């Protein structure tokens, strides 16, 4: 068994939100605190963000520190986790370049997450007009993600459900690489959140996924007031018009958030009329329970979870230079690990011309016959 190495990252395209939290951040902090791993890496995927924000470098640059603040706010501890910035590791670009030989265009076109995201980001079919088409860099981002994971020989990748196709593709690339060049890279395993609600948290508008790019987010760093407005205007059940009407909990964002956040103990603290979420749902489904009451309950639970995160963020906001220093040190460590893997990759691929003494001797022999 390979030693446990944990890795994940986020695109600096905006602040992190509660979808990231239930989908991945919460699990990262838990894995960090459990310990027992050789190394844990959490990185800011600025190079990947540039694949669809290439014309907005300032946005990406500004959000690097926002994401780092969110990492520290949720409790990632730089003494236990290597936090780094993707673009500062040139070995990642190098490894991606070699991986490109191992993946076909058709295989990339079949990647369901790529398909969805191409639509979501509005890349047109026709790229006759410069800028409206699909950038090659974006199209090939699953390859770059495979490099992100394998350069660090990650075994354990805690992510949301949208990342499943990426992990599958990474495993394929590792198998192909190892079968052609010899055992070098490690197959990663995805660690998904425990329930469907957390695997893909919907937006406050009820849309399939809370996403920075869709503007339907509750951000980890926002104030209780800002959050209050969003919770109160959340999408529920359009057929639940009068309190007496029976309500639907499926597709009702308030109940999906409760699935992701609510524990039995919350009822004791905030709503002792019910013992657990099943009882609350049953009442809502029968009719006679208003949305506002459910929203207020959700708000209390979210505030309980987010209050310590907001407070820690405020503290770190006072020391921005320290954050850049953490990232710089993280880059240093990540580069050391990456350089080691690339030595192995180059030697496996027979492009280690200056390290391989036997090669020179072999050529000398060939020409001295
Ligand atoms: P963008 O719109 O720029 O892609 P995003 O909000 O989708 O941003 P990413 O940086 O792509 O965020 O995702 C980072 C991590 O958070 C991934 O592990 C992803 O699976 C997880 N994640 C993102 N959104 C959600 C969500 N709504 N529910 C659960 N997990 C999520
Ligand atoms: Mg995304």
């Amino acid at each position: 068994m390979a030693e446990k190495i944990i890795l994940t990252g986020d695109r600096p395209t905006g602040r992190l939100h509660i979808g990231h939290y239930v989908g991945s951040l919460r699990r990262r902090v838990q894995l960090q605190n459990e310990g027992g791993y050789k190394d844990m890496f959490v990185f800011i995927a600025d190079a990947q963000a540039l694949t669809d924000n290439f014309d907005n470098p300032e946005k990406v640059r500004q959000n690097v520190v926002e994401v780092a603040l969110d990492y520290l706010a949720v409790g990632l501890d730089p003494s236990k986790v290597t936090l780094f910035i993707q673009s500062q590791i040139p070995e990642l670009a190098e490894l991606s370049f070699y991986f490109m030989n191992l993946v076909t265009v058709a295989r990339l076109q079949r990647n369901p997450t790529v398909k969805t995201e191409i639509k979501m980001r509005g890349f047109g079919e026709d790229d006759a007009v410069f800028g409206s088409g699909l950038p090659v860099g974006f199209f090939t981002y699953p390859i770059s993600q495979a490099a992100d994971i394998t350069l660090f020989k990650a075994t354990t990748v805690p992510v949301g459900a949208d990342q499943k196709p990426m992990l599958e593709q990474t495993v394929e690339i590792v198998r192909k690489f190892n079968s052609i060049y010899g055992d070098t890279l490690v197959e990663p395993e995805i660690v998904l959140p425990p329930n469907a609600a957390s695997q893909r948290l919907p937006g406050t508008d009820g849309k399939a996924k809370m996403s920075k790019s869709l503007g339907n987010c509750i951000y980890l760093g926002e104030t209780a007031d800002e959050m209050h407005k969003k919770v109160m205007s959340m999408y529920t059940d359009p057929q639940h018009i009068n309190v007496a009407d029976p309500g639907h909990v499926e597709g009702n964002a308030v109940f999906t958030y409760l699935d992701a956040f609510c524990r039995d103990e919350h009822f004791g603290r905030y709503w002792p009329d019910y013992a657990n979420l099943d009882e609350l749902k049953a009442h809502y489904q029968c009719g006679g329970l208003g949305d506002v009451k459910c929203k207020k309950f959700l708000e209390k639970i979210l505030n309980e979870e987010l209050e310590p995160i907001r407070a820690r963020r405020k503290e770190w906001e006072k020391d921005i230079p320290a954050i850049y220093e953490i990232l710089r040190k993280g880059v240093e460590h990540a580069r050391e690990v990456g350089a080691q893997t690339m030595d192995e990759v180059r030697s496996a691929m027979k492009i280690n011309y200056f390290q391989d003494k036997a090669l020179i001797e072999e050529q000398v022999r060939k020409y001295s016959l």
Side-chain angles (χ1 to χ4, degrees), residues 8-13 16-20 22-24 28 48 52-53 117 120-121 158-163 193 197-202 208-214 217:
T8 42
D10 307 88
R11 299 152 42 90
T13 49
L16 299 183
H17 51 65
I18 61 172
H20 297 117
V22 295
S24 173
R28 294 180 212 178
Q48 189 190 112
D52 56 323
N53 292 276
E117 303 229 345
M120 187 171 116
R121 285 164 221 283
V159 284
D162 60 328
Q163 294 303 309
S198 306
Q199 286 179 15
R200 188 180 273 105
L201 196 76
K209 190 182 159 227
M210 178 173 290
S211 167
K212 287 171 272 179
S213 312
L214 295 175
C217 306

mmCIF file of all heavy atoms in Angstrom, residues 8-13 16-20 22-24 28 48 52-53 117 120-121 158-163 193 197-202 208-214 217, ligand 1:
data_model
loop_
_atom_site.group_PDB
_atom_site.id
_atom_site.type_symbol
_atom_site.label_atom_id
_atom_site.label_comp_id
_atom_site.label_asym_id
_atom_site.label_seq_id
_atom_site.Cartn_x
_atom_site.Cartn_y
_atom_site.Cartn_z
ATOM 1 N N THR A 8 -5.970 18.262 -2.976
ATOM 2 C CA THR A 8 -7.109 18.887 -3.674
ATOM 3 C C THR A 8 -6.783 20.339 -3.968
ATOM 4 O O THR A 8 -5.854 20.908 -3.408
ATOM 5 C CB THR A 8 -8.419 19.001 -2.837
ATOM 6 O OG1 THR A 8 -8.093 19.407 -1.530
ATOM 7 C CG2 THR A 8 -9.239 17.782 -2.898
ATOM 8 N N GLY A 9 -7.616 20.943 -4.820
ATOM 9 C CA GLY A 9 -7.407 22.352 -5.138
ATOM 10 C C GLY A 9 -8.712 23.028 -5.499
ATOM 11 O O GLY A 9 -9.754 22.379 -5.628
ATOM 12 N N ASP A 10 -8.646 24.349 -5.634
ATOM 13 C CA ASP A 10 -9.822 25.141 -6.016
ATOM 14 C C ASP A 10 -9.375 26.240 -6.966
ATOM 15 O O ASP A 10 -8.264 26.760 -6.854
ATOM 16 C CB ASP A 10 -10.446 25.790 -4.773
ATOM 17 C CG ASP A 10 -10.724 24.767 -3.704
ATOM 18 O OD1 ASP A 10 -9.810 24.493 -2.890
ATOM 19 O OD2 ASP A 10 -11.821 24.213 -3.688
ATOM 20 N N ARG A 11 -10.289 26.606 -7.856
ATOM 21 C CA ARG A 11 -9.972 27.655 -8.824
ATOM 22 C C ARG A 11 -10.173 29.023 -8.177
ATOM 23 O O ARG A 11 -11.215 29.272 -7.581
ATOM 24 C CB ARG A 11 -10.912 27.539 -10.019
ATOM 25 C CG ARG A 11 -10.800 26.218 -10.767
ATOM 26 C CD ARG A 11 -12.088 25.828 -11.463
ATOM 27 N NE ARG A 11 -12.748 26.938 -12.124
ATOM 28 C CZ ARG A 11 -12.527 27.308 -13.385
ATOM 29 N NH1 ARG A 11 -11.703 26.637 -14.136
ATOM 30 N NH2 ARG A 11 -13.158 28.346 -13.901
ATOM 31 N N PRO A 12 -9.186 29.923 -8.317
ATOM 32 C CA PRO A 12 -9.367 31.262 -7.741
ATOM 33 C C PRO A 12 -10.195 32.146 -8.670
ATOM 34 O O PRO A 12 -9.709 33.133 -9.228
ATOM 35 C CB PRO A 12 -7.929 31.773 -7.593
ATOM 36 C CG PRO A 12 -7.183 31.081 -8.689
ATOM 37 C CD PRO A 12 -7.852 29.747 -8.904
ATOM 38 N N THR A 13 -11.468 31.780 -8.817
ATOM 39 C CA THR A 13 -12.380 32.554 -9.669
ATOM 40 C C THR A 13 -13.380 33.317 -8.816
ATOM 41 O O THR A 13 -14.287 33.966 -9.330
ATOM 42 C CB THR A 13 -13.128 31.617 -10.639
ATOM 43 O OG1 THR A 13 -13.659 30.515 -9.886
ATOM 44 C CG2 THR A 13 -12.201 31.061 -11.705
ATOM 45 N N LEU A 16 -14.669 31.248 -1.791
ATOM 46 C CA LEU A 16 -15.233 29.911 -1.645
ATOM 47 C C LEU A 16 -16.591 29.991 -0.947
ATOM 48 O O LEU A 16 -16.859 30.903 -0.168
ATOM 49 C CB LEU A 16 -14.275 29.004 -0.888
ATOM 50 C CG LEU A 16 -12.924 28.805 -1.588
ATOM 51 C CD1 LEU A 16 -12.052 27.830 -0.817
ATOM 52 C CD2 LEU A 16 -13.093 28.316 -3.024
ATOM 53 N N HIS A 17 -17.456 29.032 -1.283
ATOM 54 C CA HIS A 17 -18.832 29.067 -0.783
ATOM 55 C C HIS A 17 -19.173 27.785 -0.031
ATOM 56 O O HIS A 17 -18.339 26.880 0.073
ATOM 57 C CB HIS A 17 -19.786 29.325 -1.947
ATOM 58 C CG HIS A 17 -19.600 28.416 -3.132
ATOM 59 N ND1 HIS A 17 -19.835 27.063 -3.065
ATOM 60 C CD2 HIS A 17 -19.188 28.670 -4.404
ATOM 61 C CE1 HIS A 17 -19.606 26.525 -4.252
ATOM 62 N NE2 HIS A 17 -19.194 27.470 -5.087
ATOM 63 N N ILE A 18 -20.411 27.733 0.456
ATOM 64 C CA ILE A 18 -20.772 26.578 1.289
ATOM 65 C C ILE A 18 -20.862 25.281 0.473
ATOM 66 O O ILE A 18 -20.820 24.195 1.041
ATOM 67 C CB ILE A 18 -22.060 26.820 2.118
ATOM 68 C CG1 ILE A 18 -23.267 27.080 1.213
ATOM 69 C CG2 ILE A 18 -21.869 27.986 3.099
ATOM 70 C CD1 ILE A 18 -24.594 27.125 1.993
ATOM 71 N N GLY A 19 -20.969 25.383 -0.849
ATOM 72 C CA GLY A 19 -20.887 24.188 -1.710
ATOM 73 C C GLY A 19 -19.492 23.577 -1.624
ATOM 74 O O GLY A 19 -19.327 22.364 -1.477
ATOM 75 N N HIS A 20 -18.471 24.433 -1.692
ATOM 76 C CA HIS A 20 -17.096 23.945 -1.520
ATOM 77 C C HIS A 20 -16.922 23.344 -0.136
ATOM 78 O O HIS A 20 -16.214 22.363 0.050
ATOM 79 C CB HIS A 20 -16.085 25.082 -1.654
ATOM 80 C CG HIS A 20 -16.079 25.729 -2.989
ATOM 81 N ND1 HIS A 20 -16.401 27.039 -3.177
ATOM 82 C CD2 HIS A 20 -15.817 25.234 -4.213
ATOM 83 C CE1 HIS A 20 -16.316 27.328 -4.452
ATOM 84 N NE2 HIS A 20 -15.974 26.254 -5.108
ATOM 85 N N VAL A 22 -19.183 21.879 2.012
ATOM 86 C CA VAL A 22 -19.717 20.526 2.234
ATOM 87 C C VAL A 22 -19.132 19.528 1.242
ATOM 88 O O VAL A 22 -19.027 18.334 1.538
ATOM 89 C CB VAL A 22 -21.267 20.481 2.186
ATOM 90 C CG1 VAL A 22 -21.857 21.266 3.325
ATOM 91 C CG2 VAL A 22 -21.811 20.968 0.854
ATOM 92 N N GLY A 23 -18.765 20.023 0.040
ATOM 93 C CA GLY A 23 -18.253 19.123 -0.994
ATOM 94 C C GLY A 23 -16.831 18.678 -0.740
ATOM 95 O O GLY A 23 -16.444 17.580 -1.134
ATOM 96 N N SER A 24 -16.038 19.525 -0.085
ATOM 97 C CA SER A 24 -14.628 19.174 0.007
ATOM 98 C C SER A 24 -13.898 19.767 1.221
ATOM 99 O O SER A 24 -13.184 19.066 1.920
ATOM 100 C CB SER A 24 -13.945 19.600 -1.300
ATOM 101 O OG SER A 24 -12.574 19.441 -1.231
ATOM 102 N N ARG A 28 -11.551 17.977 4.068
ATOM 103 C CA ARG A 28 -10.103 18.229 4.134
ATOM 104 C C ARG A 28 -9.671 18.495 5.567
ATOM 105 O O ARG A 28 -8.648 17.980 6.021
ATOM 106 C CB ARG A 28 -9.725 19.462 3.305
ATOM 107 C CG ARG A 28 -9.942 19.287 1.841
ATOM 108 C CD ARG A 28 -9.536 20.546 1.106
ATOM 109 N NE ARG A 28 -10.376 20.718 -0.070
ATOM 110 C CZ ARG A 28 -10.299 21.742 -0.894
ATOM 111 N NH1 ARG A 28 -9.433 22.710 -0.667
ATOM 112 N NH2 ARG A 28 -11.096 21.818 -1.933
ATOM 113 N N GLN A 48 -5.350 26.756 -13.990
ATOM 114 C CA GLN A 48 -6.605 26.221 -14.529
ATOM 115 C C GLN A 48 -7.659 27.328 -14.664
ATOM 116 O O GLN A 48 -8.392 27.378 -15.645
ATOM 117 C CB GLN A 48 -7.160 25.092 -13.660
ATOM 118 C CG GLN A 48 -8.324 24.426 -14.369
ATOM 119 C CD GLN A 48 -9.102 23.453 -13.508
ATOM 120 O OE1 GLN A 48 -10.253 23.704 -13.183
ATOM 121 N NE2 GLN A 48 -8.490 22.353 -13.154
ATOM 122 N N ASP A 52 -10.198 29.527 -18.678
ATOM 123 C CA ASP A 52 -11.425 30.187 -19.146
ATOM 124 C C ASP A 52 -11.516 31.634 -18.667
ATOM 125 O O ASP A 52 -12.524 32.290 -18.857
ATOM 126 C CB ASP A 52 -12.681 29.390 -18.755
ATOM 127 C CG ASP A 52 -12.789 29.138 -17.262
ATOM 128 O OD1 ASP A 52 -11.755 28.910 -16.630
ATOM 129 O OD2 ASP A 52 -13.906 29.166 -16.731
ATOM 130 N N ASN A 53 -10.446 32.120 -18.050
ATOM 131 C CA ASN A 53 -10.400 33.532 -17.637
ATOM 132 C C ASN A 53 -9.108 34.167 -18.140
ATOM 133 O O ASN A 53 -8.555 35.062 -17.502
ATOM 134 C CB ASN A 53 -10.451 33.658 -16.108
ATOM 135 C CG ASN A 53 -11.800 33.234 -15.541
ATOM 136 O OD1 ASN A 53 -12.727 34.015 -15.506
ATOM 137 N ND2 ASN A 53 -11.903 31.986 -15.127
ATOM 138 N N GLU A 117 -19.490 21.956 -18.447
ATOM 139 C CA GLU A 117 -18.842 23.242 -18.188
ATOM 140 C C GLU A 117 -18.682 24.066 -19.470
ATOM 141 O O GLU A 117 -18.762 25.286 -19.426
ATOM 142 C CB GLU A 117 -17.490 23.024 -17.499
ATOM 143 C CG GLU A 117 -17.659 22.246 -16.206
ATOM 144 C CD GLU A 117 -16.957 22.862 -15.016
ATOM 145 O OE1 GLU A 117 -16.101 23.735 -15.204
ATOM 146 O OE2 GLU A 117 -17.270 22.461 -13.882
ATOM 147 N N MET A 120 -21.950 25.664 -19.715
ATOM 148 C CA MET A 120 -22.159 26.631 -18.645
ATOM 149 C C MET A 120 -21.361 27.912 -18.888
ATOM 150 O O MET A 120 -21.809 29.005 -18.589
ATOM 151 C CB MET A 120 -21.717 25.970 -17.341
ATOM 152 C CG MET A 120 -21.990 26.732 -16.102
ATOM 153 S SD MET A 120 -21.627 25.628 -14.705
ATOM 154 C CE MET A 120 -20.276 26.508 -13.972
ATOM 155 N N ARG A 121 -20.165 27.771 -19.436
ATOM 156 C CA ARG A 121 -19.321 28.949 -19.643
ATOM 157 C C ARG A 121 -19.586 29.623 -20.975
ATOM 158 O O ARG A 121 -18.937 30.607 -21.328
ATOM 159 C CB ARG A 121 -17.847 28.561 -19.510
ATOM 160 C CG ARG A 121 -17.479 28.338 -18.061
ATOM 161 C CD ARG A 121 -16.180 27.609 -17.877
ATOM 162 N NE ARG A 121 -16.318 26.634 -16.807
ATOM 163 C CZ ARG A 121 -16.304 26.926 -15.516
ATOM 164 N NH1 ARG A 121 -16.109 28.157 -15.126
ATOM 165 N NH2 ARG A 121 -16.464 25.990 -14.616
ATOM 166 N N PRO A 158 -10.139 14.341 -1.838
ATOM 167 C CA PRO A 158 -11.492 14.667 -1.348
ATOM 168 C C PRO A 158 -12.122 15.804 -2.154
ATOM 169 O O PRO A 158 -11.713 16.953 -2.047
ATOM 170 C CB PRO A 158 -11.235 15.116 0.109
ATOM 171 C CG PRO A 158 -9.811 15.574 0.140
ATOM 172 C CD PRO A 158 -9.077 14.941 -1.005
ATOM 173 N N VAL A 159 -13.122 15.469 -2.976
ATOM 174 C CA VAL A 159 -13.750 16.455 -3.872
ATOM 175 C C VAL A 159 -15.248 16.196 -4.009
ATOM 176 O O VAL A 159 -15.742 15.143 -3.615
ATOM 177 C CB VAL A 159 -13.121 16.401 -5.279
ATOM 178 C CG1 VAL A 159 -11.761 17.068 -5.321
ATOM 179 C CG2 VAL A 159 -13.023 14.965 -5.783
ATOM 180 N N GLY A 160 -15.932 17.148 -4.627
ATOM 181 C CA GLY A 160 -17.364 17.003 -4.916
ATOM 182 C C GLY A 160 -17.603 16.082 -6.115
ATOM 183 O O GLY A 160 -16.671 15.714 -6.831
ATOM 184 N N ALA A 161 -18.875 15.736 -6.328
ATOM 185 C CA ALA A 161 -19.229 14.744 -7.351
ATOM 186 C C ALA A 161 -18.852 15.184 -8.767
ATOM 187 O O ALA A 161 -18.595 14.345 -9.629
ATOM 188 C CB ALA A 161 -20.716 14.450 -7.276
ATOM 189 N N ASP A 162 -18.788 16.506 -9.006
ATOM 190 C CA ASP A 162 -18.444 16.959 -10.361
ATOM 191 C C ASP A 162 -17.035 16.526 -10.761
ATOM 192 O O ASP A 162 -16.685 16.556 -11.934
ATOM 193 C CB ASP A 162 -18.569 18.487 -10.460
ATOM 194 C CG ASP A 162 -17.650 19.226 -9.498
ATOM 195 O OD1 ASP A 162 -17.378 18.705 -8.402
ATOM 196 O OD2 ASP A 162 -17.191 20.327 -9.846
ATOM 197 N N GLN A 163 -16.250 16.119 -9.777
ATOM 198 C CA GLN A 163 -14.865 15.740 -10.068
ATOM 199 C C GLN A 163 -14.686 14.257 -10.387
ATOM 200 O O GLN A 163 -13.585 13.821 -10.713
ATOM 201 C CB GLN A 163 -13.959 16.123 -8.893
ATOM 202 C CG GLN A 163 -13.848 17.614 -8.682
ATOM 203 C CD GLN A 163 -13.345 18.307 -9.930
ATOM 204 O OE1 GLN A 163 -12.327 17.917 -10.496
ATOM 205 N NE2 GLN A 163 -14.061 19.318 -10.387
ATOM 206 N N PRO A 193 -18.151 13.211 -0.530
ATOM 207 C CA PRO A 193 -18.876 13.515 0.702
ATOM 208 C C PRO A 193 -19.927 12.442 0.979
ATOM 209 O O PRO A 193 -20.365 11.751 0.047
ATOM 210 C CB PRO A 193 -19.552 14.845 0.417
ATOM 211 C CG PRO A 193 -18.930 15.371 -0.803
ATOM 212 C CD PRO A 193 -18.369 14.227 -1.564
ATOM 213 N N ALA A 197 -26.651 15.433 -1.047
ATOM 214 C CA ALA A 197 -26.775 16.886 -0.913
ATOM 215 C C ALA A 197 -25.400 17.544 -0.876
ATOM 216 O O ALA A 197 -25.180 18.589 -1.476
ATOM 217 C CB ALA A 197 -27.550 17.221 0.361
ATOM 218 N N SER A 198 -24.455 16.911 -0.171
ATOM 219 C CA SER A 198 -23.116 17.490 -0.041
ATOM 220 C C SER A 198 -22.258 17.241 -1.277
ATOM 221 O O SER A 198 -21.310 17.966 -1.535
ATOM 222 C CB SER A 198 -22.400 16.909 1.169
ATOM 223 O OG SER A 198 -23.173 17.067 2.327
ATOM 224 N N GLN A 199 -22.588 16.199 -2.006
ATOM 225 C CA GLN A 199 -21.775 15.902 -3.187
ATOM 226 C C GLN A 199 -21.955 16.961 -4.264
ATOM 227 O O GLN A 199 -21.046 17.253 -5.027
ATOM 228 C CB GLN A 199 -22.129 14.532 -3.747
ATOM 229 C CG GLN A 199 -21.563 13.434 -2.864
ATOM 230 C CD GLN A 199 -21.908 12.047 -3.352
ATOM 231 O OE1 GLN A 199 -22.335 11.873 -4.492
ATOM 232 N NE2 GLN A 199 -21.734 11.072 -2.510
ATOM 233 N N ARG A 200 -23.167 17.509 -4.338
ATOM 234 C CA ARG A 200 -23.417 18.581 -5.310
ATOM 235 C C ARG A 200 -24.482 19.489 -4.729
ATOM 236 O O ARG A 200 -25.673 19.325 -4.969
ATOM 237 C CB ARG A 200 -23.848 17.991 -6.656
ATOM 238 C CG ARG A 200 -23.943 19.033 -7.746
ATOM 239 C CD ARG A 200 -24.376 18.481 -9.082
ATOM 240 N NE ARG A 200 -23.269 17.973 -9.886
ATOM 241 C CZ ARG A 200 -22.994 16.684 -10.080
ATOM 242 N NH1 ARG A 200 -23.748 15.773 -9.537
ATOM 243 N NH2 ARG A 200 -21.972 16.322 -10.815
ATOM 244 N N LEU A 201 -24.047 20.451 -3.935
ATOM 245 C CA LEU A 201 -25.000 21.346 -3.279
ATOM 246 C C LEU A 201 -25.606 22.289 -4.323
ATOM 247 O O LEU A 201 -24.869 22.921 -5.078
ATOM 248 C CB LEU A 201 -24.289 22.150 -2.185
ATOM 249 C CG LEU A 201 -25.220 22.819 -1.184
ATOM 250 C CD1 LEU A 201 -25.763 21.799 -0.195
ATOM 251 C CD2 LEU A 201 -24.519 23.948 -0.430
ATOM 252 N N PRO A 202 -26.941 22.394 -4.373
ATOM 253 C CA PRO A 202 -27.533 23.319 -5.362
ATOM 254 C C PRO A 202 -27.322 24.776 -4.960
ATOM 255 O O PRO A 202 -26.965 25.071 -3.816
ATOM 256 C CB PRO A 202 -29.020 22.957 -5.316
ATOM 257 C CG PRO A 202 -29.248 22.327 -3.995
ATOM 258 C CD PRO A 202 -27.952 21.694 -3.577
ATOM 259 N N ALA A 208 -28.986 23.294 -10.294
ATOM 260 C CA ALA A 208 -28.262 22.050 -9.993
ATOM 261 C C ALA A 208 -27.030 22.225 -9.106
ATOM 262 O O ALA A 208 -26.771 21.412 -8.235
ATOM 263 C CB ALA A 208 -27.870 21.374 -11.287
ATOM 264 N N LYS A 209 -26.238 23.271 -9.295
ATOM 265 C CA LYS A 209 -24.987 23.344 -8.552
ATOM 266 C C LYS A 209 -24.705 24.771 -8.100
ATOM 267 O O LYS A 209 -24.807 25.699 -8.899
ATOM 268 C CB LYS A 209 -23.850 22.856 -9.464
ATOM 269 C CG LYS A 209 -22.557 22.650 -8.746
ATOM 270 C CD LYS A 209 -21.455 22.212 -9.690
ATOM 271 C CE LYS A 209 -20.112 22.501 -9.079
ATOM 272 N NZ LYS A 209 -19.165 23.144 -9.944
ATOM 273 N N MET A 210 -24.381 24.914 -6.829
ATOM 274 C CA MET A 210 -23.891 26.205 -6.367
ATOM 275 C C MET A 210 -22.534 26.407 -7.015
ATOM 276 O O MET A 210 -21.669 25.555 -6.913
ATOM 277 C CB MET A 210 -23.762 26.217 -4.846
ATOM 278 C CG MET A 210 -23.206 27.522 -4.317
ATOM 279 S SD MET A 210 -23.228 27.654 -2.508
ATOM 280 C CE MET A 210 -24.948 27.808 -2.160
ATOM 281 N N SER A 211 -22.364 27.494 -7.719
ATOM 282 C CA SER A 211 -21.107 27.702 -8.432
ATOM 283 C C SER A 211 -20.804 29.183 -8.533
ATOM 284 O O SER A 211 -21.691 29.990 -8.824
ATOM 285 C CB SER A 211 -21.226 27.087 -9.828
ATOM 286 O OG SER A 211 -20.161 27.515 -10.624
ATOM 287 N N LYS A 212 -19.526 29.486 -8.301
ATOM 288 C CA LYS A 212 -19.072 30.868 -8.398
ATOM 289 C C LYS A 212 -19.515 31.488 -9.713
ATOM 290 O O LYS A 212 -19.899 32.644 -9.773
ATOM 291 C CB LYS A 212 -17.540 30.902 -8.339
ATOM 292 C CG LYS A 212 -16.989 30.626 -6.969
ATOM 293 C CD LYS A 212 -15.475 30.450 -7.030
ATOM 294 C CE LYS A 212 -15.080 29.020 -7.312
ATOM 295 N NZ LYS A 212 -13.661 28.776 -7.405
ATOM 296 N N SER A 213 -19.447 30.688 -10.770
ATOM 297 C CA SER A 213 -19.752 31.226 -12.097
ATOM 298 C C SER A 213 -21.247 31.468 -12.305
ATOM 299 O O SER A 213 -21.622 32.140 -13.250
ATOM 300 C CB SER A 213 -19.251 30.284 -13.185
ATOM 301 O OG SER A 213 -17.935 29.911 -12.918
ATOM 302 N N LEU A 214 -22.107 30.923 -11.462
ATOM 303 C CA LEU A 214 -23.555 31.096 -11.665
ATOM 304 C C LEU A 214 -24.156 32.158 -10.739
ATOM 305 O O LEU A 214 -25.336 32.493 -10.857
ATOM 306 C CB LEU A 214 -24.295 29.764 -11.462
ATOM 307 C CG LEU A 214 -23.978 28.657 -12.478
ATOM 308 C CD1 LEU A 214 -24.675 27.361 -12.087
ATOM 309 C CD2 LEU A 214 -24.385 29.060 -13.885
ATOM 310 N N CYS A 217 -24.516 31.750 -4.858
ATOM 311 C CA CYS A 217 -23.718 31.193 -3.755
ATOM 312 C C CYS A 217 -23.955 31.885 -2.424
ATOM 313 O O CYS A 217 -24.246 33.078 -2.385
ATOM 314 C CB CYS A 217 -22.232 31.372 -4.060
ATOM 315 S SG CYS A 217 -21.748 30.719 -5.632
HETATM 316 P P1 LIG B 1 -16.119 27.561 -11.006
HETATM 317 O O1 LIG B 1 -17.506 27.988 -11.294
HETATM 318 O O2 LIG B 1 -15.074 28.601 -11.242
HETATM 319 O O3 LIG B 1 -15.776 26.220 -11.601
HETATM 320 P P2 LIG B 1 -16.787 26.207 -8.608
HETATM 321 O O4 LIG B 1 -17.686 26.910 -7.659
HETATM 322 O O5 LIG B 1 -17.330 25.099 -9.465
HETATM 323 O O6 LIG B 1 -16.092 27.320 -9.460
HETATM 324 P P3 LIG B 1 -14.281 24.764 -8.230
HETATM 325 O O7 LIG B 1 -13.076 25.556 -7.859
HETATM 326 O O8 LIG B 1 -14.458 24.316 -9.644
HETATM 327 O O9 LIG B 1 -15.572 25.622 -7.786
HETATM 328 O O10 LIG B 1 -14.422 23.486 -7.281
HETATM 329 C C1 LIG B 1 -13.581 23.259 -6.151
HETATM 330 C C2 LIG B 1 -14.007 22.051 -5.342
HETATM 331 O O11 LIG B 1 -15.264 22.267 -4.727
HETATM 332 C C3 LIG B 1 -14.185 20.752 -6.129
HETATM 333 O O12 LIG B 1 -13.767 19.693 -5.314
HETATM 334 C C4 LIG B 1 -15.656 20.665 -6.386
HETATM 335 O O13 LIG B 1 -16.082 19.326 -6.515
HETATM 336 C C5 LIG B 1 -16.218 21.268 -5.099
HETATM 337 N N1 LIG B 1 -17.490 21.935 -5.356
HETATM 338 C C6 LIG B 1 -17.707 23.064 -6.061
HETATM 339 N N2 LIG B 1 -18.996 23.392 -6.071
HETATM 340 C C7 LIG B 1 -19.641 22.450 -5.341
HETATM 341 C C8 LIG B 1 -21.023 22.229 -4.954
HETATM 342 N N3 LIG B 1 -21.975 23.056 -5.352
HETATM 343 N N4 LIG B 1 -21.312 21.156 -4.175
HETATM 344 C C9 LIG B 1 -20.344 20.305 -3.757
HETATM 345 N N5 LIG B 1 -19.034 20.457 -4.091
HETATM 346 C C10 LIG B 1 -18.681 21.505 -4.859
#
